[in-house]
């Protein structure tokens, strides 16, 4: 096997060991919490039994409820899960409301085939950016591919081409990058 495969397997094995270690730590914490809860419930039960036999059943239930309320709740340590992710970093600036209205419609319903073809014809790919053109499968390999792989390749190629035309439209209309 090539070196890449070995290194990727090593990385996966290291990640698995790390996750298993964290899992064991979490299981220990769960057992600690469960054992402390069971010992607390045993403690409240034994105190209830030691109460005077003359007290009524209602008083013993009341004492048990009072003891459960007074018992401190165990603190949970989430440090084994890693640092808390900050979702605010993923969001950028707000867009203009007119853009939002249109994009929401396009993202939900999409374009008609004619609209898509018109936009692709209007915004041609730039001559000096060949990387926007989706790559082609080698003609020698094409007959060897299964039908599903060939269909998947055509789908991805069409998607990449639409994306390239969309990027071209953005650059032409914003005039950020003169073409």
């Amino acid at each position: 096997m090539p070196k890449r495969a070995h290194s990727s397997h090593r990385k996966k094995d290291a990640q698995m060991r790390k996750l298993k270690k964290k899992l064991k730590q979490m299981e220990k914490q769960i057992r600690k919490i469960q054992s402390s809860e069971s010992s607390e419930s045993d403690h409240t039960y034994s105190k209830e039994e030691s109460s005077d036999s003359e007290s009524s059943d209602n008083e013993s239930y009341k004492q048990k409820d009072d003891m459960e309320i007074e018992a401190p709740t165990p603190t949970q340590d989430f440090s084994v899960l890693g640092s808390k992710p900050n979702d605010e970093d993923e969001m950028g600036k707000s867009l203009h409301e007119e853009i939002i209205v249109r994009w929401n419609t396009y993202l939900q319903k999409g374009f008609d085939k004619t609209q898509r073809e018109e936009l692709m014809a209007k915004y041609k790919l730039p001559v000096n950016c060949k990387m926007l053109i989706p790559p082609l499968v080698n003609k020698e390999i094409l007959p060897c591919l299964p039908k599903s792989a060939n269909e998947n390749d055509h789908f991805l190629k069409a998607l990449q081409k639409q994306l390239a035309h969309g990027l071209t439209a953005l650059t032409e209309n914003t005039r950020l990058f003169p073409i």
Side-chain angles (χ1 to χ4, degrees), residues 6-171:
H6 288 295
S7 64
S8 66
H9 287 298
R10 288 181 191 153
K11 288 179 184 178
K12 287 180 182 177
D13 289 341
Q15 287 176 340
M16 288 294 291
R17 278 186 255 120
K18 220 183 228 185
L19 289 173
K20 284 181 181 178
K21 187 177 179 181
K22 285 183 180 181
L23 180 63
K24 286 181 182 179
Q25 290 174 349
M26 292 173 79
E27 287 174 345
K28 285 180 184 178
Q29 289 180 349
I30 289 172
R31 278 189 230 116
K32 266 187 188 177
I33 292 169
Q34 287 175 342
S35 65
S36 67
E37 286 176 356
S38 65
S39 66
E40 285 175 6
S41 64
D42 291 344
H43 181 68
T44 57
Y45 183 70
S46 64
K47 282 197 174 186
E48 182 185 319
E49 283 180 346
S50 67
S51 65
D52 294 339
S53 59
E54 296 173 2
S55 63
S56 67
D57 290 338
N58 291 340
E59 289 177 10
S60 63
Y61 285 126
K62 187 177 179 182
Q63 287 176 356
K64 185 178 177 184
D65 290 341
D66 290 342
M67 287 180 198
E68 286 179 1
I69 292 172
E70 292 173 7
T73 57
T75 58
Q76 295 179 349
D77 183 25
F78 292 106
S79 63
V80 295
L81 299 176
S83 62
K84 187 175 181 179
N86 190 0
D87 293 336
E88 295 172 6
D89 292 341
E90 294 180 18
M91 302 303 285
K93 295 179 181 178
S94 298
L95 294 175
H96 194 276
E97 192 61 35
E98 291 297 320
I99 295 173
I100 297 300
V101 170
R102 285 165 179 78
W103 280 14
N104 283 337
T105 305
Y106 300 148
L107 291 171
Q108 289 174 353
K109 297 178 183 177
F111 286 109
D112 294 339
K113 186 174 182 179
T114 55
Q115 285 177 318
R116 203 174 326 124
E117 289 172 354
E118 287 173 6
L119 287 172
M120 289 177 70
K122 182 178 179 181
Y123 298 104
K124 303 278 186 194
L125 297 179
V127 177
N128 61 347
C129 192
K130 303 278 184 188
M131 293 302 292
L132 286 174
I133 300 170
L136 301 175
V137 177
N138 290 347
K139 291 180 182 179
E140 296 85 18
I141 296 174
L142 198 57
C144 301
L145 289 176
K147 184 179 178 182
S148 61
N150 197 6
E151 289 172 354
N152 189 36
D153 181 60
H154 284 297
F155 173 76
L156 290 175
K157 196 184 320 175
L159 199 60
Q160 288 174 336
K161 195 171 183 180
Q162 288 178 20
L163 181 63
H165 285 279
L167 288 172
T168 303
L170 283 174
T171 57

